[in-house]
Amino acid sequence: MRVYLDNNATTRVDPLVRDEMMPFLDEEYGNPSSMHSFGAGVSRALDLARSRVAALLGAERESEIIFTSCATESDNTAIWSALQAYPDRHEIITSAVEHPAILQLCSFLEERGYVIHRVPVDSHGRLDLDFYASCLSDRVALASVMWANNETGTVFPVPELARMAHEKGILFHTDAVQGVGKLPICLKDTCIDMLSFSGHKIHAPKGVGALYVRYGVRFRSFMKGGHQERGRRAGTENAASIAALGRACELASQGLNRMDTEIRRLRDRLEQGILSQVPRCFVTGDPENRTPNTSNIAFEFVEGEGILLKLDREGIAASSGSACTSGSLEPSHVMTAMKVPFTAAHGTVRFSLSRFTTQEEVDYVVSKVPGIIADLRSMSPYWKQAEEGAPAFDPEFRGTLGT
Amino acid sequence: MWDYSDKVKDYFFNPRNAKELKDANAVGDVGSITCGDALRLQLKVNPETEVIEDAGFQTFGCGSAIASSSALTEMIIGKTLDEAAKVTNQDIADYLDGLPPEKMHCSVMGREALDAAIANYRGITPEAQHVESPLICKCFGIDEAKIVRAVTENNLSTVQDVINYTKAGGACGSCHEKIERIIEDVKKGAYVGRYVTTDMEAVRRAAQGGSCAQDPLAAPQGAGDAGQIHDHGHDHDHDHDHDHDHDHSQDQTAAVRDPETRPLNMAEHFSGRMQRRQEAAAADTSGPNPDHLLWAPVAALIDEIRPGLQGDGGDIELVHVDFTRIDVRLTGQCEGCMMEDMTLSFIADLIEERLRLKAPVVNVARDFGGSGEVL
Ligand code: FES
């Protein structure tokens, strides 16, 4: 059996979405900017996609949607735009647990003299709202806080954060990659100025995303070139993928309810199944406020890569915040920011479901995980020590015989 | 996903000798849970023949760490300690048909555990096992000697290589310049004679000589040490470091022959180690470093005990952390109170228990001629 529970990383393309994009890889190859009829059909397809995206986000106007190549481009665009639209402001507020698309750019800017406020989180991944409030000032060009965290699924009170920013006259952007399609979003009821998301997390293909920019918000383009997207994003439109994104958004709004009920139940079933059978593991993130599809479980005294390799051999795909899997040598910045205990920081596994996940799949995973963890723990020197009160594993001392 | 060889996968999924040896007479523990991998290697050595009759490992770590540990046990069973001592990290990687470059540190950990286990069998104390050397990478607690050894043995030439083999430099990156300097200096031969540990065989042989000295039968072997080391230096270079330029090999050999570095005087050499280390740590102490890997977990523990101290009219503040030392400021009633030492050692114990980190806890509020009291 093959079970894909890594939907926060990317998702399969829905067959209905694929059907939507195929004509643009075939007959409908015109350039939407052209004046002839080859381009006209493509141009209409872009309009349709724009209205579908606007509908999923609850945007007031379709023109508030700009198509991009991915959420990283959208994030970068939003931040650069704010800095250029408000050149006198040299501070940015963000959170400690953002996606690298935000954090890396912020570090880059920091080296060049910008002041970056990274709002910390508590052990449940909840944002320190007092800290956030204390950073708001007229020196801040942009506050950018993710809607939901990719690793833990923890949802931040983004509409409230946007309101607080607006009260001080500060622009607010949210990276909503993990929120769109999983949580109800209605931008016209909020004061969020900009929002980024990508298609491949909601069953559209990779390489397409969107940036919402509220009507009236000062905007400076990132990509310079032609007049596409009303001059806000140069470059010939990726028509096939944009059509796909539109359809994916439509399907996502139809599936929102199911996400909140059935998929949430499956997620809870998975989590309970694992927690009840495996000793010394716990869920990270805010249990009250999480995206319905995500479960991040920290297993003490084992290392995440081993878990993933063994899961993979059983046909199960998941991911880990452990150092070894990421190519870095430290546990993920999210786990570090949440101060996940060192005994478990390297043993976190994220399971993320999609609307295609079935109960049979979840039960299969629940049947495999306990054995895998027990197996790896039987090899871990720390587990022996934790379980049996054996002599402490003492690397500093190098050799514990007779001590 | 990593591109592991079939052999790595095989040794991960079907590990050989993943077991606790009840009748082991040598143990090597290396690594730590904070750094993400750790290995306990146990050996059953025949005291008559010094043949490793059995070996078992317990590993916390990624797939290649487990595979490397398992491969190592298979490689050394049946060998004498002397033969086993010649196993290098590259041998372990070769045995597994190679490791991804980023995972070479797993093979280094295996070799370190083997070194530690052999030293343990020989009765070499942990203090004697490593030469005093400055801490280079604070994030992973890695000193100059370890980096020099990895660079020398594996002919490394970039910071990325050093990260792959030792982890040093793999986090905040602030030590990269120091690592670059070490690489240059190694190429220039600047460390020759400085670190005895750059040739572990020399240490092992010396130790053997030491213990054999009490054993009349083995005395001639001990006496022949220098010559053997010389030969071995050559073997080592030819076997494993094909790409080494020749001058460098010569330097190595010279270093081992140099009487200054003869490790027989190790007890003397290392007697002041702890003291020097503490002095170094004291000199190193600076202000708060909340970005350090250890800051958050230590701060959390301090938060835990703070209410108790406040109940007694005192308070505590975390000042600085690193792998060698933890600085706090005890104020109010705690300051100078007779309970101060107990409080500090209580914190040290708590940190050791929860984080598996052995580091002195120092009250920087107490003035002892500029350096804190080290417990
Ligand atoms: S000090 Fe070496 S990586 Fe941070």
Side-chain angles (χ1 to χ4, degrees), chain B residues 136-140 167-176 179:
Chain B
I136 300 297
C137 178
K138 290 190 176 169
C139 291
F140 290 100
K167 291 190 172 192
C172 75
S174 67
C175 57
H176 285 186
I179 294 175

Side-chain angles (χ1 to χ4, degrees), chain A residues 118 280 299-314 316 318 322-331 335-347 372 375-386 388 390-403, chain B residues 1-2 4 12-15 18-20 22 24-40 42 57-64 66 102-103 105 112 116 120 126-127 129-130 139-140 163 167-172 273 277 291 293-294 296-297 299-300 352 354-356 358:
Chain A
R118 296 175 182 83
R280 302 198 71 148
F299 299 94
E300 286 193 279
F301 309 113
V302 282
E303 203 279 333
E305 185 193 295
I307 305 173
L308 295 193
L309 288 170
K310 282 187 180 269
L311 283 171
D312 185 57
R313 205 167 64 145
E314 304 293 348
I316 301 164
S322 102
C324 287
T325 55
S326 60
S328 97
L329 292 168
E330 292 178 290
M335 296 302 135
T336 310
M338 287 168 54
K339 306 180 177 72
V340 169
F342 266 38
T343 49
H346 290 275
I372 288 173
D375 210 22
L376 288 169
R377 279 179 175 169
S378 75
M379 280 190 264
S380 166
Y382 296 107
W383 180 248
K384 290 262 153 68
Q385 168 184 299
E388 299 160 16
F393 180 82
D394 188 354
E396 176 73 0
F397 228 71
R398 302 192 176 237
T400 51
L401 268 196
T403 62
Chain B
M1 180 163 273
W2 300 108
Y4 285 136
F12 169 68
F13 286 121
N14 312 297
K19 61 188 175 190
E20 224 184 324
K22 294 286 175 229
N25 52 5
V27 173
D29 286 351
V30 292
S32 88
I33 198 162
T34 51
C35 292
D37 43 26
L39 160 59
R40 164 173 288 180
Q42 291 177 305
F57 77 90
Q58 293 162 64
T59 294
F60 164 83
C62 57
S64 54
I66 289 171
E102 297 84 350
K103 295 288 192 174
H105 60 84
E112 283 176 351
N120 176 251
E127 267 70 35
Q129 213 181 332
H130 272 283
C139 291
F140 290 100
I163 295 173
K167 291 190 172 192
C172 75
R273 176 176 185 263
R277 184 169 150 173
D291 289 330
L293 271 175
L294 285 174
E352 192 185 335
R354 301 274 194 85
L355 306 177
R356 312 268 171 242
K358 249 190 159 68

Side-chain angles (χ1 to χ4, degrees), chain A residues 58-73:
Chain A
E60 191 106 43
R61 302 160 184 248
E62 288 161 16
S63 64
E64 293 172 329
I65 308 300
I66 303 170
F67 293 117
T68 65
S69 67
C70 60
T72 296
E73 184 195 325

Side-chain angles (χ1 to χ4, degrees), chain A residues 17 21 24-25 49 204-209 238-247:
Chain A
V17 170
M21 74 190 289
F24 305 96
L25 300 174
K206 294 151 192 70
V208 66
N238 180 357
S241 293
I242 290 171
L245 177 65
R247 184 76 167 115

Side-chain angles (χ1 to χ4, degrees), chain B residues 277-347:
Chain B
R277 184 169 150 173
Q278 284 163 3
E279 281 165 8
D284 239 333
T285 301
S286 47
N289 51 344
D291 289 330
H292 193 279
L293 271 175
L294 285 174
W295 179 275
V298 172
L301 288 182
I302 301 265
D303 286 344
E304 236 178 273
I305 63 162
R306 180 174 295 112
L309 293 174
Q310 287 169 337
D312 292 327
D315 206 346
I316 182 167
E317 180 195 340
L318 182 58
V319 177
H320 183 84
V321 297
D322 60 41
F323 283 94
T324 58
R325 163 166 170 163
I326 289 160
D327 289 346
V328 297
R329 185 172 290 117
L330 282 173
T331 50
Q333 290 293 317
C334 308
E335 195 179 349
C337 128
M338 56 186 264
M339 297 296 282
E340 179 183 332
D341 286 356
M342 277 181 69
T343 307
L344 292 176
S345 64
F346 172 75
I347 300 168

